[in-house]
């Protein structure tokens, strides 16, 4: 057992944090990353992206983010930080290796990893950290296959330059869709519409200097119904009623929806853009027909480009689907330091969407997982 390392699948923030925490406890950990660099998903995000969580609450264990990054850290600085983090902790990282399937070893004492190139690796434990945003999800809208207009997932969007002077429809009003819509407006798109199926909760990133993230951290220990009641008057004061502009206030509680995985939209310009008519909320996209977009209210529009900010799948079915440890939505049934009863020493991190900030929770999970692994019999 001592000859078998702990394999960490995924070289993003979650995987690096776990590897560093394990190393700090004297446990040998090997990170397997399918791309050529750590932080691959961050490298692919759109140019204007900044963390919606503060620098102080976004650092990983053992290395704070530099003050020079500012309060809201830019995408490129996150990438630089992850590179420095791996170097600082002298992590054992193997790139260009993708793990396709996990199985228990024949003797039941560890895990067998089937990886690219016919590799078969044996580990004493495995931590899956392949990420919440793993595989872009593009809905199978009726008529999509015959639509000849430009249609792309938000994962392929980088900046507004290719869309200057164009009519663009952004589908989905999560944080990604909202920010891309604002980016397009500021970048010179002729018209920007935002297809909305469910009215989102919108919060200010800061209120009187107080970050929304800190409020979210405080709320996590309170009853859901109480937070819903407290949030209602606060958001009404902070966020204007945009109903007349096509974006009504949501009729569900802020925290109860967040607990189901739909975190609030942090305002980075959407409120003003909608209020001034620069971003036009419209009904949800239902289908494509005769090279036009059919909306849920029956309207047909013909944008030059459709950008689908429709989320991602975890894509864990091939890796662990046969182990009966995924829920109906494809998410692990255990998280952090907890392992499935019939799959011991198998851990998952980064598969929730916490209101208190993903990087903060990844850091907390890393320490807990390392502590649990260090207690395993050797």
């Amino acid at each position: 057992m001592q000859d078998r390392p702990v394999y960490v699948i995924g070289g993003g923030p979650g995987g690096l944090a776990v590897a560093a925490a394990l190393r700090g406890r004297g446990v040998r950990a090997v990170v397997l990353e399918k791309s050529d660099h750590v932080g691959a998903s961050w490298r692919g995000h759109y140019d204007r992206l900044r963390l919606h969580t503060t620098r102080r609450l976004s650092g990983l264990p053992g290395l704070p983010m530099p003050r020079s990054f500012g309060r809201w850290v830019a995408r490129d600085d996150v990438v630089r930080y992850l590179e420095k983090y791996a170097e600082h902790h002298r992590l054992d990282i193997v790139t260009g290796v993708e793990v396709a399937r996990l199985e228990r070893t024949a003797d039941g004492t560890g895990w067998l990893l089937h990886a690219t190139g016919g590799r078969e690796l044996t580990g004493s434990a495995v931590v899956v950290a392949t990420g919440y945003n793993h595989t872009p999800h593009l809905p199978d809208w009726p008529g999509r296959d015959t639509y000849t207009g430009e249609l792309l997932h938000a994962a392929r969007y980088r900046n507004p330059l290719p869309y200057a002077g164009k009519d663009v429809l952004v589908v989905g009003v999560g944080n990604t869709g909202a920010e891309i819509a604002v980016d397009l407006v500021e970048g010179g798109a002729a018209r920007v519409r935002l297809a909305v199926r469910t009215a989102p909760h919108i919060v200010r990133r800061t209120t009187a200097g107080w970050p929304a993230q800190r409020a979210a951290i405080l709320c996590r220990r309170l009853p859901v119904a109480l937070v819903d009641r407290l949030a209602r008057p606060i958001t009404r004061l902070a966020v204007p009623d945009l109903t007349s502009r096509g974006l009504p206030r949501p009729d569900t509680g802020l925290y109860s929806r967040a607990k189901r995985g739909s975190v609030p939209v942090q305002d980075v310009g959407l409120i003003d853009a909608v209020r001034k008519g620069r971003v036009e909320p419209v009904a949800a996209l239902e289908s494509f027909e005769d090279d036009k977009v059919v909306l849920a209210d029956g309207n047909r529009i013909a944008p030059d480009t459709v950008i689908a900010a429709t989320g991602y799948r975890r894509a864990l079915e091939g890796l662990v689907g046969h182990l009966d440890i995924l829920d109906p939505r494809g998410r692990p049934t255990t998280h952090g330091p907890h392992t499935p009863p019939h799959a011991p020493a198998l851990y998952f991190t980064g598969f929730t969407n916490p209101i208190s900030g993903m990087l903060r929770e990844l850091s907390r999970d890393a320490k807990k997982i390392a502590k649990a692994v260090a207690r395993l019999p050797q």
Side-chain angles (χ1 to χ4, degrees):
M1 289 291 289
Q2 292 179 348
D3 294 334
R4 298 176 178 178
V6 175
Y7 282 107
V8 180
I9 305 175
L16 298 181
V18 169
L22 286 168
R23 182 179 175 85
R25 288 184 172 269
V27 178
R28 184 186 170 209
V30 178
V31 179
L32 303 176
E33 167 55 45
K34 69 177 182 179
S35 73
D36 295 331
H37 306 278
V38 299
S41 63
W42 275 95
R43 296 173 191 273
H45 286 316
Y46 48 93
D47 295 349
R48 75 171 277 157
L49 179 65
R50 289 180 176 270
L51 290 179
H52 290 169
T53 54
T54 65
R55 172 185 54 79
R56 285 189 177 184
L57 295 175
S58 300
L60 302 179
L63 185 68
M65 286 189 171
R67 293 185 63 184
S68 60
F69 286 179
R71 194 178 200 188
W72 310 106
V73 183
R75 179 203 64 184
D76 289 348
D77 285 333
V78 173
V79 172
R80 281 191 281 270
Y81 171 73
L82 296 178
E83 292 173 339
K84 180 64 177 178
Y85 190 83
E87 177 186 343
H88 175 80
H89 288 291
R90 294 179 291 173
L91 301 182
D92 189 353
I93 301 172
V94 183
T95 59
V97 176
E98 182 173 8
V99 181
R101 184 180 175 90
L102 293 178
E103 295 177 347
R104 291 295 286 171
T105 54
D107 61 7
T109 61
W111 287 96
L112 181 65
L113 293 75
H114 297 274
T116 50
R119 296 178 179 87
E120 291 190 347
L121 310 171
T122 305
S124 59
V126 173
V127 183
V128 180
T130 50
Y132 190 83
N133 295 337
H134 186 275
T135 301
H137 170 62
L138 191 63
D140 189 20
W141 289 298
R144 192 192 81 181
D145 293 340
T146 58
Y147 180 64
T148 60
E150 184 180 18
L151 169 64
L152 67 149
H153 190 274
R156 292 171 48 202
Y157 176 87
R158 293 294 173 269
N159 58 62
L161 292 178
Y163 312 101
K166 290 188 176 183
D167 181 339
V168 185
L169 173 68
V170 180
V171 182
V173 69
N175 277 294
T176 297
E179 190 157 2
I180 287 177
V182 173
D183 198 33
L184 288 164
V185 165
E186 294 177 355
R191 185 177 190 180
V192 178
R193 284 173 282 201
L194 183 60
V196 179
R197 184 172 298 277
T198 304
H201 286 278
I202 304 175
V203 298
R204 300 286 187 180
R205 190 162 61 176
T206 59
T207 302
W210 178 261
Q213 182 189 9
R214 289 197 177 275
I217 292 171
L218 294 175
C219 290
R220 293 200 69 182
R221 296 187 179 275
L222 298 176
V224 173
L226 175 61
V227 177
D228 283 347
R229 288 198 299 271
L230 293 173
R232 192 173 296 115
I234 294 173
T235 54
R236 284 181 178 273
L237 285 173
V239 178
D241 187 358
L242 301 173
T243 302
S244 63
R245 290 292 186 178
L247 197 61
R249 295 189 187 277
D251 55 8
T252 55
L254 183 151
Y255 195 31
S256 56
R257 190 187 291 186
K259 292 289 281 186
R260 296 194 296 269
S262 180
V263 299
V265 172
Q266 289 205 16
D267 178 48
V268 291
L270 180 66
I271 293 173
D272 283 345
V274 171
R275 187 164 50 186
K276 295 174 181 177
R278 301 179 70 195
V279 170
E280 307 168 45
V282 296
L285 191 158
E286 286 293 310
S287 63
F288 296 95
E289 189 175 321
D290 298 328
D291 272 350
K292 290 188 177 180
V293 174
V294 182
L295 303 178
D297 59 5
N299 283 326
R300 295 172 177 238
I301 61 176
D304 299 312
T305 302
V306 177
I307 300 175
T310 46
Y312 295 78
R313 294 186 294 108
R314 284 5 107 207
L316 292 170
E317 289 78 9
L319 183 67
V320 297
H322 57 287
L323 299 176
D324 191 28
I325 58 175
L326 300 179
D327 68 14
R329 296 175 62 184
R331 302 172 302 182
T333 54
T334 60
H335 192 80
H338 307 290
T339 63
H342 56 287
L346 176 60
Y347 304 88
F348 295 87
T349 184
F351 293 97
T352 61
N353 194 17
I355 194 172
S356 52
M358 178 67 80
L359 292 177
R360 178 181 182 272
E361 297 308 318
L362 289 175
S363 297
R364 291 162 61 87
D365 274 352
K367 297 174 184 177
K368 294 175 183 177
I369 291 171
K371 183 177 181 180
V373 171
R375 289 176 173 174
L376 294 175
Q378 298 296 320

